[in-house]
């Protein structure tokens, strides 16, 4: 069927753009002689994760234990949880996963590692951990050199924990002023990550993995420095309005939300049938990824969602209002695709305007 015949709201994925994006990032990683480990929290679909591996990715990243469990149940065997996992319940689930798949996860403190050591007592395999390095995003991760040294030395004393590597996320690149500034942030993040990698080796730990990544800094063919072993990026596969703004075009945006016009109450206002529960209320407010409004209307210049209610999108654009009628369908390029995917049970894969596959979003709602 023609995808415009679908009931709405519906999450649409353009197959040609999807494959172009997968090949683009795989080529970038291959050119720089690093492994590509896509962060699948973007799409939450085992089908797409397997596709990324088929095109050359070495395993996947996830954000939650629940996502790891779903991916493992669907045949993904090399999984990194790029997050600090704390608490006995979650750690026991990782211990169980480790029986069947290659699973690793993030740490950044001695108390956390002590929990891991306790839970993995008597396990057939040691817990595989990577220390997160804070590189400028002001989120989690080790900041002080002294704390890193103490953490590494603590792990070395553990019977049940193996230090596999380190990782960082230059998420502050989303707010870079321009491409040159993005490169500066990327280079600074790499240097800081490599500094701690060298420090770990000086402490007697040969690291298997030195992992970096964020989509904005991976779109401009910046050089990846020697010593980095892995590129860990997510949004690139589907892209969104913020990433489109960064690269100057929406042509690479593979995902849209199909929505129906349900009201035209004024000469400028248009209402469609998707709201905060279908596109989120997220924005990017500065830098190369800055967005206007809550989502771009595909095919219309300067048309975007001004505001949303739970189930209504509000658009003010006279040109668009004059061209459409009640019952017409529009496509929205979301500002941030990652939370949008988590709002739908399935996505429709489309090729040349025809629906060719329904893809279940099996990791939807896996928040623990």
């Amino acid at each position: 069927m023609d995808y415009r015949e679908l009931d709405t709201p519906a999450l649409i994925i353009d197959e040609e753009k999807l494959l172009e994006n997968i090949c683009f990032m795989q080529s970038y990683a291959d050119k720089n002689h690093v492994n590509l480990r896509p962060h699948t929290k973007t799409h939450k679909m085992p089908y797409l994760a397997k596709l990324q591996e088929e095109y050359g990715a070495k395993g996947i990243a996830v954000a939650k234990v629940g996502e790891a469990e779903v991916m493992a149940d669907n045949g993904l065997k090399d999984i990194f949880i790029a997050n600090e996992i704390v608490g006995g319940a979650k750690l026991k689930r990782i211990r169980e996963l480790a029986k069947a798949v290659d699973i690793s996860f993030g740490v950044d403190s001695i108390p956390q590692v002590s929990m891991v050591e306790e839970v993995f007592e008597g396990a057939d395999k040691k817990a595989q951990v990577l220390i997160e390095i804070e590189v400028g995003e002001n989120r989690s991760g080790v900041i002080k050199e002294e704390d890193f040294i103490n953490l590494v030395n603590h792990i070395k004393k553990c019977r049940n924990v193996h230090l596999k590597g380190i990782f960082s996320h230059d998420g502050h690149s989303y707010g870079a002023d321009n491409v040159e500034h993005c490169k500066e942030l990327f280079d600074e993040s790499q240097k800081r990550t490599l500094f701690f990698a060298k420090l770990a080796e000086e402490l007697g730990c040969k690291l298997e993995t030195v992992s970096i990544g964020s989509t904005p800094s991976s779109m401009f063919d910046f050089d990846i420095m020697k010593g980095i072993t892995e590129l860990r990026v997510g949004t690139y596969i589907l892209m969104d309005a913020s990433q489109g703004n960064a690269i100057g075009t929406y042509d690479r945006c593979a995902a849209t939300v199909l929505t129906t016009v349900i009201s035209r109450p004024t000469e400028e206002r248009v209402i469609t049938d998707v709201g905060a529960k279908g596109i989120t209320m997220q924005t990017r407010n500065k830098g190369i990824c800055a967005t206007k409004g809550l989502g771009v209307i595909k095919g219309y210049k300067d048309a975007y969602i001004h505001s949303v209610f739970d189930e209504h999108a509000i658009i003010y654009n006279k040109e668009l209002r004059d061209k459409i009628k009640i019952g017409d369908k529009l496509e929205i390029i979301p500002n941030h695709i990652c939370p949008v995917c988590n709002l739908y049970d399935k996505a429709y894969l489309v090729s040349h305007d025809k629906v060719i596959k329904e893809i279940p979003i099996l990791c939807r709602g896996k928040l623990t």
Side-chain angles (χ1 to χ4, degrees):
M1 66 182 295
D2 188 295
Y3 79 96
R4 286 158 294 206
E5 297 174 18
L6 291 167
D7 200 4
T8 62
L11 181 61
I12 308 299
I13 299 176
D14 183 294
E15 184 185 45
E16 284 70 37
K17 292 180 180 179
L18 173 83
L19 294 177
E20 179 184 356
N21 292 338
I22 290 174
C23 292
F24 171 85
M25 196 59 69
Q26 188 63 56
S27 295
Y28 174 58
D30 292 345
K31 174 184 173 181
N32 283 277
H33 308 291
V34 297
N35 294 320
L36 178 63
R37 183 179 293 275
H39 204 321
T40 62
K41 74 176 179 66
T42 292
H43 54 72
K44 289 178 168 275
M45 304 177 216
Y47 176 85
L48 295 188
K50 290 179 180 178
L51 196 60
Q52 288 170 305
E53 285 196 345
E54 287 174 14
Y55 277 79
K58 182 190 180 297
I60 61 168
V62 298
K64 298 287 186 173
V65 180
E67 292 174 343
E69 290 168 335
V70 171
M71 291 295 181
D73 286 344
N74 284 272
L76 284 303
K77 299 297 185 182
D78 186 344
I79 304 171
F80 170 49
I81 308 174
N83 205 346
E84 283 68 33
I85 305 302
V86 174
K90 290 183 176 66
L91 292 169
K92 287 175 184 177
R93 290 158 64 192
I94 292 177
R95 174 173 168 165
E96 188 64 25
L97 275 170
K99 295 177 181 179
V101 301
D102 183 359
I103 185 87
S104 55
F105 58 96
V107 298
D108 73 354
S109 70
I110 289 174
Q112 180 195 3
V113 171
S114 296
M115 293 180 194
V116 178
E117 173 74 355
E118 180 180 350
V119 170
F120 273 74
E121 180 65 37
D124 292 336
K125 299 178 184 177
K126 289 185 177 183
Q128 305 292 310
V129 303
L130 285 79
I131 297 175
E132 183 175 14
I133 307 301
E134 214 289 325
V135 293
E137 189 178 29
N138 297 324
R139 200 169 66 179
S140 51
V142 174
I143 298 171
K144 296 179 181 179
E145 181 178 340
E146 178 184 3
D147 291 340
F148 182 80
I149 292 171
N150 291 338
L151 180 55
V152 170
N153 285 333
H154 181 77
I155 293 173
K156 287 169 63 177
K157 296 175 185 176
C158 291
R159 295 190 307 272
N160 307 312
V161 183
H162 170 66
L163 180 58
K164 182 177 181 178
I166 64 174
F167 73 107
S168 64
H169 173 54
D170 55 306
H172 52 312
S173 64
Y174 282 81
D177 297 331
N178 48 47
V179 175
E180 292 74 22
H181 186 212
C182 186
K183 185 178 189 305
E184 289 176 14
L185 295 177
F186 183 56
D187 288 348
E188 289 169 3
S189 298
Q190 289 189 87
K191 289 175 182 176
R192 180 168 168 79
T193 305
L194 289 168
F195 169 81
F196 281 98
K198 184 173 184 293
L199 186 55
E201 294 200 2
E202 290 173 353
L203 293 169
C205 295
K206 179 65 175 176
L207 301 181
E208 175 185 334
T209 303
V210 180
S211 180
I212 65 166
S214 74
T215 293
S217 55
S218 301
M219 298 301 296
F220 301 107
D221 201 30
F222 299 151
D223 289 336
I224 297 177
M225 296 177 182
K226 184 178 180 181
I228 302 296
T229 68
E230 181 177 277
L231 183 64
R232 198 184 67 262
V233 283
T235 308
Y236 78 93
I237 184 173
L238 298 177
M239 299 289 281
D240 52 29
S242 68
Q243 300 294 341
N245 290 338
I247 65 173
T249 179
Y250 298 134
D251 291 346
R252 300 276 292 279
C253 294
T256 57
V257 172
L258 187 69
T259 183
T260 300
V261 175
I262 60 173
S263 179
R264 301 190 313 162
T266 74
E267 292 183 356
E268 292 185 338
R269 190 191 309 159
V270 175
I271 315 295
T272 81
D273 68 347
V274 65
K277 294 179 180 179
I279 56 170
T280 84
M281 298 178 69
Q282 287 197 321
T283 60
R284 304 279 188 191
N285 56 21
K286 66 176 184 178
I288 56 176
C289 291
T291 58
K292 184 183 291 185
L294 300 175
V296 173
I297 310 304
K298 183 178 177 181
Y300 291 89
K301 184 178 180 181
D302 298 325
Y304 57 89
I305 297 169
H306 283 69
S307 61
V308 293
F309 292 83
D310 282 353
E311 310 294 353
H312 298 74
I314 315 299
I315 305 164
Y316 286 94
N317 187 287
K318 189 175 189 310
E319 179 186 358
L320 183 150
R321 195 266 185 201
D322 290 343
K323 287 182 178 179
I324 53 92
K325 60 183 184 296
I326 302 297
D328 282 354
K329 291 176 180 176
L330 302 173
E331 287 181 71
I332 301 166
I333 302 174
N335 284 344
H336 187 187
I337 191 59
C338 303
V340 171
C341 288
N342 192 51
L343 298 172
Y344 290 85
D345 291 322
K346 60 187 174 184
Y348 295 92
L349 189 63
V350 171
S351 177
H352 303 292
D353 294 341
K354 300 297 182 184
V355 176
I356 59 172
K357 188 176 184 63
E358 293 184 13
I359 307 174
I361 306 175
L362 297 178
C363 291
R364 180 190 181 189
K366 301 300 180 183
L367 303 179
T368 64

